[in-house]
């Protein structure tokens, strides 16, 4: 039997497939072997498939990057999946360059796609002009005056937790997993302050509602950073057709967010229009109505007659903000308050000094101004966010070939001195938030210690750190910096104010048993009970003045 010649159409198809494959392969070779990054020093790579990813996922104390920086200098590379190099830089000028050009250094597509599938068109997922537009409408909702109006929610909810713990410690002391209770507290806070929705998570008799169930399911199966799945699905989109349990959870969560979000937005719009008609307003001006939550403020700003039609957000954009606020503002703040109680338990003198300052306030329900006027509380919160930033690192990718400027020159593997770093399109860059916050060179020999006193006279070198808040990278910097930083600072202060006045905290387990597990937030877990997941067991005792 002779071979038949393929038809011209099939031939053209095969040629196109071959050229596409060759083009993708060239892209891969460029990123891995032809990049100038290859000359940078860095740790050995244990696996051709996983690169250094398994080492990073397995680290218990997030100290691996510190060890690398000490060994290889301020600019180094590690390798991610399939040997692709990633630049790690502790040089503040390099980080400033990356953060201040978000369109040249966006989030990598595999991470971006997961966020977009889940959150729809919220602020975290959109990029470029869409992002600028959303940010313009959203910014005013996060201003100081709006956070002042929300402070009573932070305080009232914290009092609810205080009462719950008071009940638990009626007979003297109680062992409490504070991580879990603080997570319920911050979920309740973001629900009410974010969009007027009561999760009722702190209510011991309450049953979890639909939104909190969807949210909980979502977090139960967060894949490890060493999981190959997202990369393979990006390279071979056909794999997305295979139904996985995780995929089904994401779909369920995203549909629930969409359905409940639509209802919440409709309710808010109706309430705003009703209020406007009762006040006999001819159209809505941006300052006309009082907002009760971030969503109301956002919808009101979006409906205002002084906003041109082209600058308004679509319904889909507005609904996308609800899961965005939840995802971005819930576990981040609970993780920070957990580490604050960890540090206060480790340093009882700091705990007592803070309590004395807090007890000097006569009211149980302080205003934002009263909370902001407490210097030691401010130093404790800032030091917590330095030593324990909930997000330890972020990844960005070069959208095109670029040259990254540096403050200080470095020497490459071949002994050559460079005053800038050349990077190829497709290479990734790590923003090493925690390593920057713990660098001995920047902070001094006591960088690893929790020392609120350091904020009385912070080292001059940190003024180069390009953060939106406190010369820290906790909330990063540039046009994509955290929009909710004021919200979370006052929330953290309200939580600590209420709880530290009422209780004394000490560790319920040896301190060496407590480690940081990063996936992707750095939360505490016990070496002796890894199967129990995140926890911080503390002994609580009601505080009685001597
Ligand atoms: C301690 C608490 C918090 C920390 C450490 C934190 C940190 C961050 C970081 C590092 C980013 C950048 C993420 C990226 O670009 O991939 C970010 C973005 C964001 N955060 Fe926060 N955040 C906190 C609390 C909050 C709160 C309470 C809210 C809302 C109420 C919030 C809303 C957002 C939003 C909407 C973005 C996206 C901003 C944009 O891309 O323009 N965050 N946050």
């Amino acid at each position: 039997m002779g071979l038949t010649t393929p038809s011209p159409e099939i031939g053209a198809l095969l040629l196109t497939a071959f050229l596409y494959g060759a083009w993708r392969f060239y892209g891969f070779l460029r990123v891995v072997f032809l990049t100038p990054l290859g000359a940078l020093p860095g740790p050995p790579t244990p696996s051709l498939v996983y690169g250094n990813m398994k080492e990073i996922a397995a680290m218990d104390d997030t100290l691996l990057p510190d060890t690398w920086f000490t060994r290889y200098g301020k600019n180094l590379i590690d390798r991610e999946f399939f040997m692709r190099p990633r630049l790690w830089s502790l040089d503040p000028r390099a980080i400033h360059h990356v953060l201040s050009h978000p369109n040249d250094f966006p989030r990598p597509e595999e991470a971006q796609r997961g966020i977009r599938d889940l959150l729809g068109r919220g602020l975290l997922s959109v990029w470029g002009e869409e992002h600028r537009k959303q940010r313009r409408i959203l910014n005013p909702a996060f201003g100081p005056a709006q956070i002042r109006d929300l402070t009573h929610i932070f305080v009232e909810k914290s009092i609810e937790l205080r009462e719950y713990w008071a009940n638990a410690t009626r007979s003297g002391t109680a062992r409490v997993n504070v991580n879990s209770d603080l997570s319920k507290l911050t979920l309740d806070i973001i629900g009410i302050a974010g969009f007027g929705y009561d999760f009722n998570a702190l209510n011991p008799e309450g049953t979890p509602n639909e939104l909190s169930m969807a949210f909980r399911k979502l977090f139960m199966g967060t894949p490890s950073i060493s999981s190959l799945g997202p990369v393979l699905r990006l390279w071979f989109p056909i794999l997305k057709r295979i139904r996985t349990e995780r995929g089904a959870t994401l779909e369920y969560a995203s549909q629930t967010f969409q359905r409940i979000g639509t209802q919440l937005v409709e309710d808010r719009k109706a309430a705003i229009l009703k209020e406007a008609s009762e006040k006999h307003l001819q159209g809505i001006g941006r300052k006309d109505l009082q907002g009760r939550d971030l969503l109301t403020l956002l919808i009101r700003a979006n409906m205002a007659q002084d906003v041109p039609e082209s600058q308004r957000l679509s319904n889909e954009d507005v609904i996308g903000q609800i899961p965005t606020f939840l995802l971005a503002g819930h576990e981040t703040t609970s993780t920070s308050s957990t580490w604050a109680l960890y540090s206060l338990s480790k340093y009882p003198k700091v705990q007592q000094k803070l309590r004395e300052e807090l007890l000097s306030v006569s009211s149980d329900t302080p205003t934002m101004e009263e909370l902001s006027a407490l210097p030691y509380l401010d130093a404790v919160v800032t030091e917590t966010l330095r030593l324990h930033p909930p997000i330890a690192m972020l990844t960005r990718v070069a959208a095109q070939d670029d040259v990254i400027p540096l403050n200080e020159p470095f020497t490459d593997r071949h002994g050559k001195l460079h005053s800038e770093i050349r990077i190829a399109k497709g290479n990734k860059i790590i923003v090493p938030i925690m390593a920057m916050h713990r660098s001995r060179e920047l902070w001094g020999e006591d960088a690893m210690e929790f020392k609120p006193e350091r904020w009385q006279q912070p080292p001059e070198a940190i003024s180069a750190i390009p953060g939106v808040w406190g010369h820290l990278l906790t909330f990063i910097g540039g046009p994509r910096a955290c929009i909710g930083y004021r919200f979370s600072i006052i929330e953290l202060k309200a939580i600590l104010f209420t709880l530290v006045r009422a209780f004394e905290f000490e560790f319920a387990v040896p301190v060496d048993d407590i480690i940081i597990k990063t996936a992707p937030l750095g939360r505490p877990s016990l070496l002796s009970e890894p199967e129990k997941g995140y926890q911080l067991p503390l002994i609580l005792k009601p505080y009685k003045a001597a």
Side-chain angles (χ1 to χ4, degrees):
M1 243 178 22
L3 285 173
T4 49
T5 321
S7 68
E9 289 82 6
I10 303 250
L13 208 67
L14 286 174
L15 183 65
T16 312
F18 172 78
L19 289 176
Y20 177 72
W23 176 69
R24 292 299 297 252
F25 189 60
Y26 171 70
F28 174 75
L29 291 181
R30 214 174 104 83
V31 164
V32 176
F33 298 109
L34 305 177
T35 168
L37 279 191
L40 266 76
T45 317
S47 156
L48 287 179
V49 174
Y50 288 97
N52 299 92
M53 296 304 278
K54 285 203 166 177
E55 267 177 292
I56 295 197
M59 64 190 177
D60 286 334
D61 51 11
T62 63
L63 282 180
L64 189 61
D66 295 353
T67 317
W68 285 350
F69 282 122
T70 311
R71 196 165 299 160
Y72 304 104
K74 275 188 183 171
N75 300 289
L76 59 91
I77 53 163
D78 78 340
R79 301 267 170 179
E80 60 153 335
F81 305 107
F82 304 107
M83 300 297 287
R84 290 175 302 163
R86 304 186 303 179
L87 168 67
W88 294 65
S89 180
L90 268 189
D91 191 298
R93 194 157 167 222
I95 299 297
H96 178 260
H97 180 78
V98 171
L99 294 180
S100 55
H101 299 98
N103 295 332
D104 297 336
F105 295 97
R107 193 177 292 127
E109 183 54 27
E110 61 269 28
Q112 173 63 13
R113 184 172 286 177
I115 291 181
R116 207 173 37 215
D117 288 352
L118 180 67
L119 302 179
R121 292 171 43 88
L123 190 65
L124 257 175
S125 5
V126 292
W127 228 261
E129 186 46 43
E130 272 306 309
H131 177 259
R132 253 195 302 278
K133 184 168 140 184
Q134 288 205 7
R135 192 102 195 190
R136 248 197 313 265
I137 295 280
L138 275 157
N139 267 338
F142 288 89
Q146 286 65 30
I147 304 305
R148 178 186 303 122
D149 286 353
L150 297 175
T151 305
H152 72 99
I153 300 173
F154 307 155
V155 174
E156 282 160 22
K157 277 288 167 192
S158 303
I159 290 177
E160 221 176 295
L161 178 59
R162 185 191 72 191
E163 294 310 298
Y164 178 60
W165 282 355
N167 208 17
T169 51
R170 250 196 318 216
S171 52
T173 61
R175 178 186 161 123
V176 171
N177 174 10
V178 296
N179 182 50
S180 156
D181 286 349
L182 290 168
S183 169
K184 291 178 188 164
L185 170 62
T186 57
L187 181 63
D188 277 353
I189 290 179
I190 191 68
I192 295 184
F195 34 89
Y197 183 89
D198 198 348
F199 280 102
N200 232 344
L202 274 176
N203 179 355
E205 270 111 50
T207 44
N209 55 35
E210 229 187 331
L211 205 53
S212 62
M213 293 264 282
F215 204 62
R216 200 179 294 175
K217 275 186 101 175
L218 189 67
F219 274 97
M220 275 191 313
T222 312
S224 155
I225 52 167
S226 66
S227 163
L228 261 177
V231 181
L232 292 180
R233 276 191 290 280
L234 183 72
W235 287 357
F236 307 104
I238 195 149
L239 293 179
K240 282 196 289 174
R241 290 171 179 260
I242 302 173
R243 267 189 86 72
T244 57
E245 206 180 319
R246 178 76 187 152
T249 306
L250 282 176
E251 202 176 307
Y252 160 76
S254 127
Q255 281 169 1
T256 310
F257 292 155
Q258 187 69 22
R259 187 166 39 77
I260 297 181
T262 308
Q263 191 57 49
L264 286 169
V265 170
E266 290 311 319
D267 292 352
R268 290 299 168 290
K269 276 188 184 165
I272 291 169
L273 289 173
K274 184 163 172 261
E275 202 176 335
S277 113
E278 280 166 8
K279 291 187 174 171
H280 306 294
L281 298 173
Q282 305 294 318
I284 297 160
R286 279 195 236 198
K287 297 200 181 76
D288 285 337
L289 301 164
Q290 288 308 303
R292 288 165 294 274
D293 52 61
L294 299 174
L295 184 65
T296 304
L297 291 165
L298 150 68
I299 295 176
R300 196 183 66 189
N302 201 40
M303 286 166 91
Q305 29 170 214
D306 40 353
V307 174
E309 196 57 44
S310 62
Q311 291 306 314
R312 286 184 209 272
L313 308 191
S314 67
N315 236 13
E316 202 192 336
D317 292 2
V318 176
I319 293 167
Q321 309 309 330
I322 296 173
T324 302
F325 293 165
L326 261 183
L327 191 82
H330 160 40
E331 290 282 341
T332 42
T333 318
S334 72
T335 301
S336 304
S337 48
T338 301
W339 285 117
L341 292 188
Y342 165 92
S343 298
L344 294 176
S345 305
K346 195 167 173 187
Y347 298 90
K349 282 191 184 145
V350 175
Q351 185 182 146
Q352 187 50 27
K353 184 170 170 186
L354 174 64
R355 186 173 296 112
E356 279 161 20
E357 181 184 83
L358 302 179
L359 287 168
S360 71
V361 179
S362 56
S363 166
D364 241 13
T365 53
T367 59
M368 181 175 90
E369 281 71 18
E370 282 168 321
L371 287 171
S372 304
L374 297 168
Y376 204 60
L377 176 61
D378 191 60
V380 166
V381 166
T382 314
E383 183 67 348
T384 302
L385 294 172
R386 177 190 72 85
L387 199 56
H388 294 285
I391 299 172
M393 58 180 92
L394 281 181
T395 313
R396 298 294 196 236
V397 61
Q400 65 237 341
D401 294 356
D402 200 358
V403 178
I404 300 182
L406 295 174
N407 262 351
E408 273 175 53
F410 76 100
T411 311
D412 72 14
R413 278 177 199 266
H414 316 295
K416 204 170 154 203
L417 201 67
H418 298 264
S419 54
E420 57 197 18
I421 299 176
R422 298 192 164 271
I423 192 162
K425 174 180 174 178
N427 283 151
K428 290 184 185 163
I429 301 113
I430 301 287
V431 180
I433 300 173
M434 187 177 284
M436 183 83 98
H437 289 186
R438 294 177 171 199
S439 151
R440 284 189 172 76
E441 196 182 315
L442 280 170
W443 300 91
E445 279 311 305
D446 59 2
M448 294 296 289
E449 279 171 49
F450 181 79
K451 251 192 186 173
E453 284 69 19
R454 81 172 74 243
W455 291 97
Q456 283 165 3
Q457 216 174 357
E460 240 183 85
I462 68 163
S463 60
I465 298 178
V468 69
W469 175 81
H471 297 307
L472 292 174
L473 286 178
T474 315
F475 302 102
I476 64 164
R480 306 282 318 203
C482 176
I483 200 170
Y485 76 93
R486 287 193 195 91
F487 182 112
S488 61
I489 299 292
I490 298 298
E491 181 183 6
L492 276 170
K493 288 186 175 177
I495 294 172
L496 291 180
F497 177 90
T498 308
L499 300 179
V500 176
R501 273 160 64 108
F503 301 98
E504 288 178 82
F505 299 89
E506 60 182 76
F507 290 126
V509 294
V511 63
D512 298 345
D513 198 16
I514 305 168
I515 52 167
I516 304 179
K517 272 282 167 207
T518 305
L521 296 184
R523 282 175 278 198
S525 166
L526 296 191
L527 263 178
S528 58
E529 295 179 340
E531 72 288 353
K532 288 202 177 162
Y534 305 117
Q535 57 165 323
L536 178 62
L538 295 184
I539 303 289
L540 269 58
K541 190 165 117 195
Y543 176 72
K544 292 191 181 65

